[in-house]
């Protein structure tokens, strides 16, 4: 009979998980067991606290669905998402830096043409974002797909609206032969992370700001290049220094230039004031 004690339980559990058939799984699980046990010992975890944590995880799973990833949000606010991004995307200093995916990306966004309006008449100041997608040497990257998504003028994504069931403020744009792209949308607002779930409940028990600065999400997955998940943030926006998911980087902060009615970057015209933002994405070739 194997007698389990407070002193030997960790070694016994590590020994069992070391039998995993995949060496990497064995490495991950044995380290996880050691760190979890060390944590429990360090804080002298009570049974009530352990059960509260289990119930919190249960609620986190139940509120998650194909449009809302509460576990990703958990990872984001703990800083784990950005740590994993930093460790796995040690890019050339010339490349556009990566940041977090966030909990609201979905597949299947509509494909739009150069300068087409992904806001589809939603309220807000028109915003044009244009520039070039290029490689480290400055060569343009044609046919690169930019997958975009953002919150609306209330700071909400469509999955947070009970009466919205279609993709909104999302689109895919493709660069032209010279690597240029042009997006039309509305200027995003800073917004709070969802506070109606387990993560929000936990944040509300602290002095942590639950706001994100104004931004637009970008995902570029171009063959031959390292995938890029990033944001563009508005210069001067609130919460740049206290982003709840630690996603802000200086290289991703862009100026919104106020423009009067007239010609737009796509060669069209607009009859209301608008914002002009310019940004060139620099992709790193795979294997560099």
């Amino acid at each position: 009979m194997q007698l389990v004690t407070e002193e030997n339980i960790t070694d016994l559990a590590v020994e069992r998980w070391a039998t995993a058939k995949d060496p990497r799984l064995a490495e991950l699980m044995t380290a996880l067991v050691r760190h979890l046990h060390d944590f429990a010992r360090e804080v002298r975890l009570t049974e009530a606290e352990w059960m509260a944590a289990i119930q919190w995880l249960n609620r986190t799973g139940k509120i998650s669905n194909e449009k809302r990833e509460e576990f990703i949000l958990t990872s984001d606010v703990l800083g784990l998402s950005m740590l994993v991004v930093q460790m796995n995307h040690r890019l050339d200093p010339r490349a556009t830096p990566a940041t977090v995916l966030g909990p609201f990306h979905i597949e299947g966004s509509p494909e739009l043409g150069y300068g087409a309006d992904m806001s589809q008449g939603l309220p807000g100041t028109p915003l044009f974002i244009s520039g070039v997608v290029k490689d480290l040497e400055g060569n343009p990257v044609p046919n690169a797909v930019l997958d975009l998504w953002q919150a609306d003028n209330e700071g909400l994504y469509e999955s947070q609206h009970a009466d919205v069931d279609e993709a909104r403020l999302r689109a895919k744009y493709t660069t032209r032969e010279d690597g240029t792209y042009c997006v039309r949308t509305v200027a995003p607002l800073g917004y709070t992370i969802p506070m109606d779930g387990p993560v929000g409940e936990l944040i509300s028990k602290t002095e942590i700001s639950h706001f994100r600065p104004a931004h637009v999400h970008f995902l570029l997955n171009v063959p031959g290049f390292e995938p890029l998940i990033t944001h563009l943030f508005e210069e001067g926006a609130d919460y740049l220094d206290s982003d709840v998911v630690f996603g802000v980087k200086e290289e991703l902060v862009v100026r919104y230039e106020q423009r009067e009615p007239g010609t737009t970057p796509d060669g069209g015209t607009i009859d209301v004031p608008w914002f002009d933002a310019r940004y060139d994405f620099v992709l790193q070739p795979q294997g560099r």
Side-chain angles (χ1 to χ4, degrees):
M1 181 182 298
Q2 189 176 61
L3 298 177
V4 176
T5 67
E6 183 178 334
E7 287 71 32
N8 71 6
I9 180 62
T10 301
D11 290 339
L12 293 173
V14 166
E15 182 180 349
R16 288 187 184 180
W17 280 103
T19 65
K21 296 179 176 62
D22 181 88
R24 178 59 172 168
L25 179 60
E27 179 184 7
L28 292 171
M29 293 307 301
T30 54
L32 178 63
V33 167
R34 285 194 298 270
H35 287 289
L36 280 176
H37 286 217
D38 286 345
F39 166 76
R41 288 188 173 95
E42 178 183 340
V43 301
R44 302 200 57 82
L45 192 66
T46 69
E47 289 181 312
E49 291 165 341
W50 172 82
M51 181 55 71
I54 295 296
Q55 292 172 344
W56 189 91
L57 291 170
N58 280 335
R59 287 184 282 118
T60 300
K62 288 176 180 177
I63 202 172
S64 299
N65 54 41
E66 68 278 3
K67 289 186 176 181
R68 176 172 179 167
E69 293 282 0
E70 194 80 359
F71 277 115
I72 290 181
L73 184 60
T74 303
S75 175
D76 289 349
V77 302
L78 292 176
L80 179 60
S81 298
M82 273 304 298
L83 174 59
V84 173
V85 166
Q86 296 290 96
M87 291 191 300
N88 286 272
H89 297 276
R90 294 190 172 105
L91 302 177
D92 188 289
R94 294 171 291 174
T96 299
T99 185
V100 295
L101 176 67
F104 290 110
H105 177 259
I106 60 174
E107 299 293 339
S109 293
E111 297 181 6
L112 297 183
Y114 186 85
D117 187 1
M118 80 174 193
S119 69
Q120 299 178 320
L122 289 174
T125 302
L127 168 66
F128 284 82
I129 307 174
S130 60
V132 181
V133 177
K134 52 190 177 181
D135 64 18
L136 293 179
E137 307 307 323
N139 302 306
V141 179
N143 302 312
V145 176
L146 297 87
D147 187 352
L148 285 75
W149 65 106
Q150 70 173 84
D152 62 20
N153 67 316
E154 298 178 32
L156 299 175
Y157 293 84
E158 72 271 68
S159 63
Q160 297 172 281
H161 286 281
D163 58 344
V164 176
D165 194 34
E166 74 278 355
R168 189 163 78 171
L169 284 171
R170 300 176 184 272
K172 291 182 178 180
Y173 294 83
T174 302
T175 59
R176 301 189 296 188
E177 285 303 309
D178 60 358
T180 57
Y181 73 94
C182 183
V183 171
R184 178 175 174 175
T185 183
V186 289
L189 300 177
Y191 62 84
T192 174
I193 60 168
M195 295 296 286
D196 59 342
V199 173
E201 173 190 298
L202 192 60
I203 290 287
S204 68
K205 298 179 185 296
T206 75
E207 296 299 321
I208 297 171
S209 168
H210 51 279
F211 283 90
R212 298 218 62 206
H215 63 276
V216 178
H217 294 264
F218 286 80
L219 187 158
L220 290 84
N221 195 355
V222 181
F225 294 91
E226 294 293 336
L228 175 64
I229 297 170
T230 196
H231 303 6
L232 293 184
F233 298 91
E234 179 186 0
E235 183 180 271
D238 293 334
Y239 315 114
L240 286 173
D241 295 328
S242 60
D243 181 12
V244 66
V245 305
F246 307 96
V248 177
K249 295 186 177 182
E250 184 178 359
E251 301 93 327
L252 302 176
V253 177
V254 299
R255 181 187 299 274
Y256 288 9
E257 297 285 357
Q258 178 76 56
R259 304 295 190 199
E260 295 303 316
T263 304
T264 53
D266 62 335
T269 59
I270 192 169
D271 58 4
V272 295
W274 55 285
F275 287 121
D276 185 13
R278 305 296 176 98
Y279 192 83
D280 292 345
F281 291 94
V282 180
L283 303 182
Q284 177 161 314
Q286 289 180 331
R288 285 292 296 266

